[in-house]
Amino acid sequence: ASLNDIVPAGVVTGDDLVTLLDHARANSYAIPAVNCTSSSTINAALEAARLAKSPIMIQVSNGGGSFLVGKSIKDKNAAAAGSVALAMHTRCVAKYYGVPVVLHSDHCAKKLLPWFDAMLEADEEFFAKYGEPLFSSHMLDLSEEPDEENIAICVEYFKRMAPMKIWLEMEIGITGGEEDGVNNEDVDPEKLYTSPEQVYSVYDALSKVGDMFSVAAAFGNVHGVYKPGNVKLSPERLGKHQAYAKKMINSPLDKPIYLVMHGGSGSTDSEIKSAVENGVIKMNIDTDTQWAYWDGLRAFEHKNRAYLQGQIGNPDGKDKPNKKYYDPRKWCRAAEESMAKRVVESCDKLGSKGTYTPSQEPGSPQLGTPKTGPSPVMIMAAGAIVGSAATLLMKVIAK
């Protein structure tokens, strides 16, 4: 079936999210997951998805949430507040872009669990009102902890998430490099490669709770961009994980586990293709899109430098105004266009390009539709009727 026929445009959660990821796995493509830190970067990623005719994942990190709420805010809940704000902005605009959008939170190490808890509280509050969570999915990254502790904590959180049909992404094995304040640049190289037994132990534990989960299994991945030859990716290892799980659970599927890829910036096209062929349904993109955003701004400044040296005065005349050049909407837009172009490139490499024809339905915010139930007016009317009946009954008894 066409993806348009089975998955709606806009933010998707629950069963729609499962259908989307099943389609990706069955048709051997992955969805780009773009780290966003502002409404501008969100819009750039959404624009790219519409241009590429592709689903997209908008994800926020702890640092991204802190930035979005404002770096001057030192409140302990700042990152959660910013993350919720990012989710609300995305829900306000996603349908206008006409493609499926997954709202996701990125790496959460053990020290950041209060941030995770606060986002789940927001999910629970949204779910109680509207019957779906605020976010589509969340990631726990406890890969620095012993495997048993990592898996046990994931299981407990998954039990809390499953009733709301929130997808859980977890990591086992370490992604190298540095990302959002977590530095694994000096980690033991052997820890950059997850074994089939480790991946299956995750599957075995989480599948007892539900089936809405994915695994970020390390295969030499490193956050950031490095010179060729400095990073040794082994995406063929992912195929071994799938084969081992298939054997252990006697699955009819060749790729029974949903896998995700981190540290993909700078990867070769063949490495990405191999990862997707082995069951990767999501790839994180951050470093490359950060550069693309900056590069758009850099090019704008270089082209218009003579018009950006003061509010008044440029090559066209010493009294000529420069507002149309330094207006943030001008240079932000240049950055957005450059970032969107890079995300389209990722959609192409991951095979998601052309999988979804943008909907022509009018856009609308997705801020929740209250659960159906008796209206307050009906409840009051029913109370009045019951009260009148009780009064009448008492009078009859008194006679």
PDB file of all heavy atoms in Angstrom, residues 11-29:
ATOM      1  N   VAL A  11       1.966  15.360  12.844  1.00  0.00           N
ATOM      2  CA  VAL A  11       2.606  14.585  13.910  1.00  0.00           C
ATOM      3  C   VAL A  11       1.884  13.248  14.073  1.00  0.00           C
ATOM      4  O   VAL A  11       0.658  13.205  14.202  1.00  0.00           O
ATOM      5  CB  VAL A  11       2.596  15.360  15.242  1.00  0.00           C
ATOM      6  CG1 VAL A  11       3.097  14.475  16.385  1.00  0.00           C
ATOM      7  CG2 VAL A  11       3.458  16.611  15.132  1.00  0.00           C
ATOM      8  N   VAL A  12       2.645  12.157  14.049  1.00  0.00           N
ATOM      9  CA  VAL A  12       2.060  10.821  14.191  1.00  0.00           C
ATOM     10  C   VAL A  12       2.513  10.198  15.508  1.00  0.00           C
ATOM     11  O   VAL A  12       3.654  10.365  15.937  1.00  0.00           O
ATOM     12  CB  VAL A  12       2.429   9.895  13.008  1.00  0.00           C
ATOM     13  CG1 VAL A  12       1.810  10.389  11.724  1.00  0.00           C
ATOM     14  CG2 VAL A  12       3.945   9.764  12.850  1.00  0.00           C
ATOM     15  N   THR A  13       1.605   9.504  16.160  1.00  0.00           N
ATOM     16  CA  THR A  13       1.888   8.809  17.415  1.00  0.00           C
ATOM     17  C   THR A  13       1.230   7.430  17.372  1.00  0.00           C
ATOM     18  O   THR A  13       0.448   7.124  16.470  1.00  0.00           O
ATOM     19  CB  THR A  13       1.316   9.587  18.624  1.00  0.00           C
ATOM     20  OG1 THR A  13      -0.114   9.674  18.490  1.00  0.00           O
ATOM     21  CG2 THR A  13       1.900  10.986  18.727  1.00  0.00           C
ATOM     22  N   GLY A  14       1.542   6.602  18.347  1.00  0.00           N
ATOM     23  CA  GLY A  14       0.847   5.334  18.534  1.00  0.00           C
ATOM     24  C   GLY A  14       0.836   4.428  17.322  1.00  0.00           C
ATOM     25  O   GLY A  14       1.866   4.163  16.704  1.00  0.00           O
ATOM     26  N   ASP A  15      -0.344   3.945  16.963  1.00  0.00           N
ATOM     27  CA  ASP A  15      -0.484   2.980  15.867  1.00  0.00           C
ATOM     28  C   ASP A  15      -0.003   3.559  14.536  1.00  0.00           C
ATOM     29  O   ASP A  15       0.564   2.833  13.708  1.00  0.00           O
ATOM     30  CB  ASP A  15      -1.942   2.526  15.741  1.00  0.00           C
ATOM     31  CG  ASP A  15      -2.410   1.717  16.941  1.00  0.00           C
ATOM     32  OD1 ASP A  15      -1.542   1.182  17.657  1.00  0.00           O
ATOM     33  OD2 ASP A  15      -3.633   1.633  17.161  1.00  0.00           O
ATOM     34  N   ASP A  16      -0.232   4.859  14.302  1.00  0.00           N
ATOM     35  CA  ASP A  16       0.231   5.477  13.056  1.00  0.00           C
ATOM     36  C   ASP A  16       1.757   5.462  12.980  1.00  0.00           C
ATOM     37  O   ASP A  16       2.338   5.271  11.902  1.00  0.00           O
ATOM     38  CB  ASP A  16      -0.278   6.914  12.942  1.00  0.00           C
ATOM     39  CG  ASP A  16      -1.763   6.990  12.631  1.00  0.00           C
ATOM     40  OD1 ASP A  16      -2.294   6.043  12.021  1.00  0.00           O
ATOM     41  OD2 ASP A  16      -2.400   7.990  13.012  1.00  0.00           O
ATOM     42  N   LEU A  17       2.409   5.660  14.109  1.00  0.00           N
ATOM     43  CA  LEU A  17       3.871   5.613  14.140  1.00  0.00           C
ATOM     44  C   LEU A  17       4.376   4.209  13.838  1.00  0.00           C
ATOM     45  O   LEU A  17       5.327   4.028  13.065  1.00  0.00           O
ATOM     46  CB  LEU A  17       4.376   6.077  15.509  1.00  0.00           C
ATOM     47  CG  LEU A  17       5.884   5.974  15.747  1.00  0.00           C
ATOM     48  CD1 LEU A  17       6.668   6.761  14.707  1.00  0.00           C
ATOM     49  CD2 LEU A  17       6.235   6.456  17.156  1.00  0.00           C
ATOM     50  N   VAL A  18       3.733   3.202  14.423  1.00  0.00           N
ATOM     51  CA  VAL A  18       4.116   1.815  14.152  1.00  0.00           C
ATOM     52  C   VAL A  18       3.960   1.501  12.664  1.00  0.00           C
ATOM     53  O   VAL A  18       4.840   0.889  12.046  1.00  0.00           O
ATOM     54  CB  VAL A  18       3.272   0.841  15.005  1.00  0.00           C
ATOM     55  CG1 VAL A  18       3.566  -0.613  14.605  1.00  0.00           C
ATOM     56  CG2 VAL A  18       3.554   1.039  16.486  1.00  0.00           C
ATOM     57  N   THR A  19       2.844   1.931  12.081  1.00  0.00           N
ATOM     58  CA  THR A  19       2.610   1.700  10.653  1.00  0.00           C
ATOM     59  C   THR A  19       3.694   2.350   9.808  1.00  0.00           C
ATOM     60  O   THR A  19       4.195   1.759   8.841  1.00  0.00           O
ATOM     61  CB  THR A  19       1.227   2.251  10.242  1.00  0.00           C
ATOM     62  OG1 THR A  19       0.211   1.606  11.018  1.00  0.00           O
ATOM     63  CG2 THR A  19       0.953   2.012   8.773  1.00  0.00           C
ATOM     64  N   LEU A  20       4.080   3.565  10.169  1.00  0.00           N
ATOM     65  CA  LEU A  20       5.130   4.284   9.443  1.00  0.00           C
ATOM     66  C   LEU A  20       6.459   3.535   9.502  1.00  0.00           C
ATOM     67  O   LEU A  20       7.120   3.316   8.473  1.00  0.00           O
ATOM     68  CB  LEU A  20       5.292   5.691  10.017  1.00  0.00           C
ATOM     69  CG  LEU A  20       6.478   6.516   9.506  1.00  0.00           C
ATOM     70  CD1 LEU A  20       6.389   6.728   7.999  1.00  0.00           C
ATOM     71  CD2 LEU A  20       6.550   7.853  10.240  1.00  0.00           C
ATOM     72  N   LEU A  21       6.857   3.113  10.696  1.00  0.00           N
ATOM     73  CA  LEU A  21       8.150   2.449  10.842  1.00  0.00           C
ATOM     74  C   LEU A  21       8.133   1.043  10.245  1.00  0.00           C
ATOM     75  O   LEU A  21       9.157   0.568   9.729  1.00  0.00           O
ATOM     76  CB  LEU A  21       8.552   2.414  12.321  1.00  0.00           C
ATOM     77  CG  LEU A  21       8.738   3.800  12.963  1.00  0.00           C
ATOM     78  CD1 LEU A  21       9.179   3.676  14.407  1.00  0.00           C
ATOM     79  CD2 LEU A  21       9.742   4.643  12.170  1.00  0.00           C
ATOM     80  N   ASP A  22       6.979   0.382  10.290  1.00  0.00           N
ATOM     81  CA  ASP A  22       6.841  -0.912   9.609  1.00  0.00           C
ATOM     82  C   ASP A  22       7.045  -0.747   8.104  1.00  0.00           C
ATOM     83  O   ASP A  22       7.698  -1.562   7.449  1.00  0.00           O
ATOM     84  CB  ASP A  22       5.451  -1.512   9.871  1.00  0.00           C
ATOM     85  CG  ASP A  22       5.393  -2.312  11.154  1.00  0.00           C
ATOM     86  OD1 ASP A  22       6.462  -2.646  11.704  1.00  0.00           O
ATOM     87  OD2 ASP A  22       4.275  -2.613  11.616  1.00  0.00           O
ATOM     88  N   HIS A  23       6.462   0.323   7.564  1.00  0.00           N
ATOM     89  CA  HIS A  23       6.595   0.595   6.129  1.00  0.00           C
ATOM     90  C   HIS A  23       8.060   0.852   5.760  1.00  0.00           C
ATOM     91  O   HIS A  23       8.550   0.371   4.730  1.00  0.00           O
ATOM     92  CB  HIS A  23       5.721   1.785   5.743  1.00  0.00           C
ATOM     93  CG  HIS A  23       5.598   2.017   4.276  1.00  0.00           C
ATOM     94  ND1 HIS A  23       6.502   2.802   3.568  1.00  0.00           N
ATOM     95  CD2 HIS A  23       4.685   1.575   3.355  1.00  0.00           C
ATOM     96  CE1 HIS A  23       6.160   2.827   2.289  1.00  0.00           C
ATOM     97  NE2 HIS A  23       5.051   2.099   2.123  1.00  0.00           N
ATOM     98  N   ALA A  24       8.756   1.593   6.614  1.00  0.00           N
ATOM     99  CA  ALA A  24      10.173   1.876   6.364  1.00  0.00           C
ATOM    100  C   ALA A  24      10.985   0.590   6.374  1.00  0.00           C
ATOM    101  O   ALA A  24      11.822   0.356   5.488  1.00  0.00           O
ATOM    102  CB  ALA A  24      10.701   2.854   7.411  1.00  0.00           C
ATOM    103  N   ARG A  25      10.735  -0.249   7.371  1.00  0.00           N
ATOM    104  CA  ARG A  25      11.478  -1.509   7.465  1.00  0.00           C
ATOM    105  C   ARG A  25      11.174  -2.424   6.289  1.00  0.00           C
ATOM    106  O   ARG A  25      12.084  -3.007   5.692  1.00  0.00           O
ATOM    107  CB  ARG A  25      11.145  -2.220   8.788  1.00  0.00           C
ATOM    108  CG  ARG A  25      11.891  -3.530   8.987  1.00  0.00           C
ATOM    109  CD  ARG A  25      11.670  -4.106  10.371  1.00  0.00           C
ATOM    110  NE  ARG A  25      10.276  -4.446  10.636  1.00  0.00           N
ATOM    111  CZ  ARG A  25       9.855  -5.055  11.734  1.00  0.00           C
ATOM    112  NH1 ARG A  25      10.719  -5.373  12.690  1.00  0.00           N
ATOM    113  NH2 ARG A  25       8.574  -5.324  11.908  1.00  0.00           N
ATOM    114  N   ALA A  26       9.893  -2.548   5.924  1.00  0.00           N
ATOM    115  CA  ALA A  26       9.487  -3.446   4.840  1.00  0.00           C
ATOM    116  C   ALA A  26       9.989  -2.976   3.479  1.00  0.00           C
ATOM    117  O   ALA A  26      10.230  -3.792   2.584  1.00  0.00           O
ATOM    118  CB  ALA A  26       7.964  -3.580   4.820  1.00  0.00           C
ATOM    119  N   ASN A  27      10.159  -1.652   3.333  1.00  0.00           N
ATOM    120  CA  ASN A  27      10.561  -1.109   2.040  1.00  0.00           C
ATOM    121  C   ASN A  27      12.010  -0.616   2.021  1.00  0.00           C
ATOM    122  O   ASN A  27      12.424   0.080   1.094  1.00  0.00           O
ATOM    123  CB  ASN A  27       9.607   0.016   1.640  1.00  0.00           C
ATOM    124  CG  ASN A  27       8.217  -0.491   1.320  1.00  0.00           C
ATOM    125  OD1 ASN A  27       7.940  -0.945   0.209  1.00  0.00           O
ATOM    126  ND2 ASN A  27       7.305  -0.445   2.304  1.00  0.00           N
ATOM    127  N   SER A  28      12.756  -0.983   3.050  1.00  0.00           N
ATOM    128  CA  SER A  28      14.200  -0.712   3.127  1.00  0.00           C
ATOM    129  C   SER A  28      14.565   0.755   2.911  1.00  0.00           C
ATOM    130  O   SER A  28      15.366   1.107   2.043  1.00  0.00           O
ATOM    131  CB  SER A  28      14.947  -1.598   2.114  1.00  0.00           C
ATOM    132  OG  SER A  28      14.799  -2.952   2.450  1.00  0.00           O
ATOM    133  N   TYR A  29      13.966   1.609   3.719  1.00  0.00           N
ATOM    134  CA  TYR A  29      14.428   2.995   3.774  1.00  0.00           C
ATOM    135  C   TYR A  29      14.464   3.429   5.236  1.00  0.00           C
ATOM    136  O   TYR A  29      13.896   2.771   6.115  1.00  0.00           O
ATOM    137  CB  TYR A  29      13.543   3.927   2.947  1.00  0.00           C
ATOM    138  CG  TYR A  29      12.119   4.124   3.424  1.00  0.00           C
ATOM    139  CD1 TYR A  29      11.792   5.108   4.356  1.00  0.00           C
ATOM    140  CD2 TYR A  29      11.077   3.344   2.909  1.00  0.00           C
ATOM    141  CE1 TYR A  29      10.485   5.295   4.778  1.00  0.00           C
ATOM    142  CE2 TYR A  29       9.767   3.527   3.318  1.00  0.00           C
ATOM    143  CZ  TYR A  29       9.477   4.511   4.256  1.00  0.00           C
ATOM    144  OH  TYR A  29       8.182   4.699   4.667  1.00  0.00           O
TER     145      TYR A  29
END
